[in-house]
Amino acid sequence: MKKTQTSFNIETREIFKRLFGENTMLTEQLNRLLNDTTALIDSAGDTKTLYGIRVAVLGKNGSLTGILRGLKDLKNEERPVAGKLANDVRETIERELAQKEERLSDEEMERRLLYEKVDLTLDKKPFIVGKIHPLNAVLKKSVAFFVGLGFRVEESREIETVYYNFDALNTAPDHPARDAQDTFFITQDILLRSQTSTGQIRVMEKTRPPIRIISPGRVYRSDEADATHTPCFNQIEGLVVDKGVTMCDLKAVLESYAKFLFSDCTKIRFRPSYFPFTEPSVEVDASCPACHGSGCRICKGTGWIEILGAGMVNRNVLKGVGIDSDVYTGYAFGMGLNRITAIIHGITDARVPFEGDVRFLKQF
Ligand code: PHE
């Protein structure tokens, strides 16, 4: 193999000599460094040693790096020439390293191919199969249920405007949810959606009834994380708008869903509630899947667990998106996926599903 040029470019050297004289410290330092490094590269017998040389000379704390860093302290007229000289040295060293590395790694590969043998009697490594995160598993199951009933999946955006998160959802200007303490505002008008109900408006704006969608996704609220709150969690929104849709339809769909999710003997109940975008509004409880209604720690002795909010789409909301509320009615529901997953699996700390701890994930 042709030996590489190991001294500086003649021209640079001449200029340097003229500027600083033959024996300036820098010329000497660089010359010595180049010679020493070249000798080391020549004698290196394997790629590991070569890597060590690379780090020691060109690495962050390498000797040449140190010299290059010192260039900034030179006088203005000295710096360009000295810089060129130091760079010549760096390029030469890099070229030599690369050439030697290629040769050594070829040799190493040849040696391995010659001497390494495969021991076919060795036991195989354990094969660890990844699993679906419990939140995703419950999401998939829920989506499959609603799709089976003819719902379409319509994901919506996480960054929204005040209009979609509040105004179009008939939320009064002084509603407490509009407060920065409850909602993450990006600007005065742009926010991280605090509910998937925003998707209702986006869908109704672009589609005419019959509408039958679910809209799963992440929502954000400026809550401090603790055992029962996380600043981000997942919801599934449902919306049906058609002629003759009643609260009975809502109840039937939610009851089948609760039975599908927990067990066949699950019952649900509606409690009157308030949401600006539904009228009437309800909160929906399921009979406790752990004790089947007799009262336990999970349902705090009541036999019931709240699973979602729902109601008939408020006329004002329909009007706002240009749907004739004398012809069409609709229902909507919104549930916390994290909460439902926690109920199913007995997860007592809302933060845990976000932590990615394999000891937790392995249990599912
Ligand atoms: N968006 C409501 C919430 O986040 C839930 C809801 C959705 C209620 C749809 C009624 C209808 O609490």
Side-chain angles (χ1 to χ4, degrees):
M1 192 180 295
K2 194 175 159 286
K3 187 97 185 63
T4 47
Q5 179 201 346
T6 55
S7 53
F8 318 138
N9 171 312
I10 302 295
E11 197 190 341
T12 321
R13 199 181 192 186
E14 286 306 314
I15 300 170
F16 202 79
K17 227 196 292 177
R18 243 176 283 137
L19 260 178
F20 309 123
E22 180 71 89
N23 285 326
T24 61
M25 286 237 308
L26 190 64
T27 327
E28 261 186 18
Q29 246 182 331
L30 282 171
N31 230 335
R32 202 173 328 117
L33 180 73
L34 182 61
N35 289 336
D36 291 352
T37 311
T38 307
L40 280 171
I41 294 174
D42 272 346
S43 65
D46 53 44
T47 47
K48 213 170 141 193
T49 313
L50 216 52
Y51 181 72
I53 300 171
R54 176 183 287 281
V55 173
V57 180
L58 302 174
K60 212 166 106 204
N61 297 316
S63 37
L64 182 59
T65 317
I67 295 178
L68 284 168
R69 227 174 264 144
L71 291 180
K72 67 174 186 328
D73 302 327
L74 290 180
K75 289 198 213 97
N76 273 350
E77 64 273 21
E78 296 172 356
R79 208 177 299 126
V81 188
K84 173 132 185 31
L85 192 61
N87 262 331
D88 279 351
V89 171
R90 188 173 52 83
E91 273 169 26
T92 309
I93 291 177
E94 276 187 354
R95 197 169 46 241
E96 293 210 350
L97 276 170
Q99 281 171 356
K100 183 79 184 242
E101 193 163 74
E102 195 182 331
R103 214 183 74 216
L104 284 179
S105 55
D106 283 355
E107 283 173 16
E108 279 167 18
M109 178 58 95
E110 258 169 53
R111 226 173 301 141
R112 276 181 59 190
L113 292 176
L114 205 61
Y115 295 111
E116 261 186 18
K117 295 204 171 44
V118 177
D119 183 352
L120 294 174
T121 66
L122 274 180
D123 211 359
K124 67 178 185 337
K125 274 194 190 158
F127 187 65
I128 299 165
V129 184
K131 291 186 192 164
I132 296 177
H133 191 285
L135 278 173
N136 264 330
V138 177
L139 172 65
K140 276 189 166 190
K141 211 174 148 180
S142 304
V143 168
F145 173 83
F146 286 107
V147 167
L149 288 184
F151 285 70
R152 219 160 23 86
V153 179
E154 277 276 353
E155 281 176 312
S156 191
R157 57 195 80 182
E158 291 179 20
I159 296 177
E160 267 297 1
T161 60
V162 167
Y163 176 76
Y164 286 94
N165 203 76
F166 296 124
D167 299 334
L169 286 163
N170 195 40
T171 310
D174 57 352
H175 193 283
R178 292 190 184 238
D179 204 286
Q181 272 184 350
D182 295 295
T183 301
F184 284 115
F185 283 87
I186 296 170
T187 67
Q188 229 181 356
D189 189 44
I190 299 172
L191 45 73
L192 293 178
R193 69 173 172 194
S194 62
Q195 48 187 352
T196 43
S197 305
T198 50
Q200 290 187 33
I201 306 300
R202 294 232 171 243
V203 168
M204 287 191 282
E205 272 182 348
K206 64 172 188 183
T207 355
R208 295 292 93 179
I211 294 170
R212 184 173 281 261
I213 60 107
I214 54 164
S215 184
R218 275 189 287 259
V219 300
Y220 301 84
R221 294 186 190 172
S222 43
D223 284 326
E224 200 73 49
D226 62 26
T228 49
H229 298 86
T230 50
C232 168
F233 57 99
N234 303 267
Q235 287 189 329
I236 304 176
E237 192 80 8
L239 173 72
V240 171
V241 184
D242 203 351
K243 285 180 184 154
V245 175
T246 71
M247 209 144 180
C248 288
D249 301 315
L250 171 66
K251 194 160 192 187
V253 166
L254 293 181
E255 191 170 66
S256 325
Y257 175 60
K259 284 185 192 300
F260 170 80
L261 211 52
F262 303 123
S263 76
D264 261 353
C265 58
T266 304
K267 294 194 198 72
I268 62 163
R269 70 175 185 190
F270 278 12
R271 273 182 296 111
S273 185
Y274 173 78
F275 298 103
F277 35 91
T278 46
E279 181 57 35
S281 302
V282 289
E283 267 166 324
V284 182
D285 297 337
S287 53
C288 176
C291 64
H292 302 292
S294 56
C296 68
R297 201 170 45 85
I298 295 188
C299 58
K300 299 200 183 78
T302 62
W304 295 95
I305 281 191
E306 185 194 320
I307 55 167
L308 53 87
M312 299 304 289
V313 180
N314 194 306
R315 273 173 173 265
N316 290 341
V317 174
L318 292 176
K319 227 175 279 167
V321 291
I323 292 177
D324 188 343
S325 58
D326 290 330
V327 179
Y328 294 104
T329 52
Y331 65 74
F333 57 86
M335 62 184 104
L337 185 65
N338 300 58
R339 186 172 162 72
I340 287 176
T341 308
I343 297 169
I344 292 175
H345 293 296
I347 299 166
T348 49
D349 191 322
R351 291 165 290 195
V352 175
F354 289 99
E355 284 167 356
D357 187 331
V358 277
R359 290 168 304 180
F360 167 76
L361 296 170
K362 266 185 181 165
Q363 300 174 62
F364 301 96

